[in-house]
């Protein structure tokens, strides 16, 4: 009985938060990966950045993916600057 009530509350809260921020309340790793990659192309909203940070606190896989993405960005930037010399 409590599980059904909790699920209904999560759906209710998730809907209102999604409408305000465009982000699900409890995104899965696939959603986090998409949002992280989208952040490479454009500036994410505060809600999306907060959701990504909160998820990465508990998910080592997504945390590692973010670190790898940062390393690739830094390496590409360094490579571009070295190739222009």
């Amino acid at each position: 009985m409590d599980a059904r009530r909790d699920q209904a509350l999560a759906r209710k809260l998730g809907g209102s938060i999604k409408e305000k921020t465009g982000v699900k309340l409890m995104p899965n790793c696939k959603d986090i990966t998409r949002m992280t990659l989208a952040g490479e192309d454009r500036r994410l909203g505060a809600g999306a950045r907060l959701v990504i940070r909160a998820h990465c606190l508990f998910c080592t896989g997504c945390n590692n993916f973010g670190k790898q993405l940062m390393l690739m960005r830094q390496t590409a930037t360094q490579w571009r600057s070295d190739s222009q010399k």
Side-chain angles (χ1 to χ4, degrees):
M1 186 75 166
D2 289 334
R4 285 185 191 168
R5 189 177 65 220
D6 291 344
Q7 289 173 352
L9 180 61
R11 279 194 301 274
K12 184 177 178 182
L13 290 174
S16 63
I17 289 174
K18 186 174 181 180
E19 290 168 6
K20 292 177 185 176
T21 64
V23 178
K24 288 194 292 186
L25 181 62
M26 298 292 258
N28 59 23
C29 293
K30 193 173 187 178
D31 296 332
I32 295 296
T33 301
R34 284 185 188 141
M35 289 192 305
T36 303
L37 289 172
E40 289 291 304
D41 298 330
R42 61 181 168 81
R43 182 161 169 80
L44 297 176
R49 290 192 312 268
L50 181 65
V51 167
I52 291 171
R53 283 187 192 157
H55 179 89
C56 288
L57 285 174
F58 301 104
C59 181
T60 56
C62 290
N63 191 25
N64 288 339
F65 177 75
K67 289 177 183 177
Q68 290 168 355
L69 197 58
M70 189 182 333
L71 177 64
M72 288 189 292
R73 185 181 336 113
Q74 291 169 350
T75 303
T77 302
Q78 183 67 39
W79 179 77
R80 274 189 230 110
S81 68
D82 287 347
S83 65
Q84 292 177 356
K85 291 181 182 179

